[in-house]
Amino acid sequence: MIRIYEETGRILHIDLEPEPDGLIENTSEVIDFYQNWLLPIGGNYLSKKLNIEHSLAETKLLEHVRICYDTCHFSVEYEEPQSVFARLQSAGIKIGKIQISAAIKVKIPVDIEKRSLIVERLRPFAESTYLHQVIERRTDGTLHHYPDLITALPHLEQSLAEEWRTHFHVPIFIHDYQILQSTQDDIVTVLHLLQTNNACSHLEIETYTWDVLPSEMKIDLLTSIQREYEWVLKIIRNS
């Protein structure tokens, strides 16, 4: 990538995508990876390979190895977009691409009967095609992880959680799904932030779960994609 840039002036970059339960899943782990692995180890390798100063090698790494900010993933981690942008920029880490996507979220009531209704509402989303990690936030602010929705559901009625967020890419133009909600608000926040913060100019709408959505949420695919684009453009115009 460095040689291509030197020869053509075209910048290519690899965008690492943090994901719940991944090796790198949140902002702290991104910064840790860069500061303790990529820059010292990769910088040392690159400086020897290109016979350049280590500091210059680090600069080139930061240019060509960036982050893919998936709004669904960071929302599942309960991370505020403003904080993520600020922390990454403070560490010199660039966002190469923003994937516009929404996760499922639900407030967990105290009442057991209401919790049972939530279990039944979530059950159709517990399909096996994709992995649907769940992170619950408890009343003391701590986060507890479940590797998949199907393994999490039996624990909901007795959970200490006040909220669940599930890695399931639901249509971004819908906020409320009866008892459930989406993390659409975080998408709006990101699109508003980009009006004053030039963190990234590459946006990609990434809803890929059309085929596995519950039947009541399935509509014509072309219409769905059109509605997603129209919704994003409306938010940008009104920002």
Side-chain angles (χ1 to χ4, degrees):
M1 291 187 292
I2 293 170
R3 287 170 178 157
I4 289 172
Y5 175 67
E6 291 173 345
E7 294 170 2
T8 69
R10 295 181 181 274
I11 295 180
L12 300 180
H13 44 87
I14 295 173
D15 299 334
L16 307 178
E17 183 177 347
E19 179 168 330
D21 290 345
L23 183 63
I24 301 173
E25 67 172 308
N26 55 42
T27 306
S28 293
E29 291 182 2
V30 167
I31 294 172
D32 177 74
F33 170 73
Y34 272 78
Q35 293 181 347
N36 295 312
W37 295 88
L38 179 65
L39 295 180
I41 298 174
N44 184 57
Y45 169 83
L46 201 57
S47 64
K48 293 179 180 178
K49 191 77 173 179
L50 299 180
N51 193 27
I52 58 176
E53 293 293 329
H54 193 279
S55 59
L56 179 57
E58 289 188 351
T59 299
K60 292 181 181 295
L61 281 171
L62 289 169
E63 187 66 45
H64 294 285
V65 184
R66 305 185 185 185
I67 291 299
C68 172
Y69 183 109
D70 187 304
T71 53
C72 168
H73 296 176
F74 280 91
S75 293
V76 172
E77 297 282 343
Y78 296 86
E79 295 207 71
E80 295 294 334
Q82 301 96 322
S83 174
V84 177
F85 276 41
R87 293 181 66 194
L88 291 180
Q89 289 172 334
S90 178
I93 300 169
K94 295 185 177 182
I95 298 175
K97 178 170 68 172
I98 293 177
Q99 289 181 327
I100 302 172
S101 55
I104 297 172
K105 73 174 182 179
V106 59
K107 297 293 185 181
I108 309 298
V110 175
D111 186 86
I112 294 296
E113 291 186 3
K114 292 181 178 179
R115 290 189 175 207
S116 297
L117 291 175
I118 292 173
V119 171
E120 294 309 310
R121 184 72 183 106
L122 282 171
R123 199 176 301 281
F125 294 91
E127 57 82 44
S128 61
T129 306
Y130 303 105
L131 192 62
H132 304 296
Q133 303 95 318
V134 175
I135 301 182
E136 68 176 23
R137 181 168 60 189
R138 297 181 175 178
T139 53
D140 61 1
T142 59
L143 303 180
H144 181 75
H145 293 233
Y146 297 97
D148 201 1
L149 180 57
I150 191 65
T151 59
L153 286 176
H155 300 277
L156 192 146
E157 291 185 359
Q158 302 301 323
S159 173
L160 299 175
E162 63 177 8
E163 184 175 343
W164 270 22
R165 296 191 180 184
T166 303
H167 177 213
F168 194 115
H169 289 234
V170 290
I172 61 176
F173 51 80
I174 303 174
H175 184 271
D176 294 299
Y177 299 91
Q178 297 173 4
I179 300 174
L180 311 178
Q181 295 83 44
S182 82
T183 57
Q184 184 193 78
D185 289 346
D186 281 356
I187 300 175
V188 175
T189 298
V190 166
L191 294 177
H192 285 169
L193 276 173
L194 291 175
Q195 303 306 305
T196 56
N197 187 319
N198 190 28
C200 181
S201 59
H202 183 166
L203 307 181
E204 174 184 274
I205 299 173
E206 198 216 11
T207 305
Y208 56 80
T209 52
W210 303 108
D211 290 341
V212 298
L213 288 171
S215 57
E216 71 272 14
M217 292 174 58
K218 288 184 179 180
I219 57 177
D220 174 69
L221 180 58
L222 182 59
T223 302
S224 298
I225 294 174
Q226 178 181 339
R227 289 182 67 184
E228 297 222 298
Y229 273 87
E230 289 174 345
W231 182 84
V232 171
L233 292 172
K234 179 181 177 180
I235 297 299
I236 291 175
R237 283 195 299 266
N238 293 336
S239 297

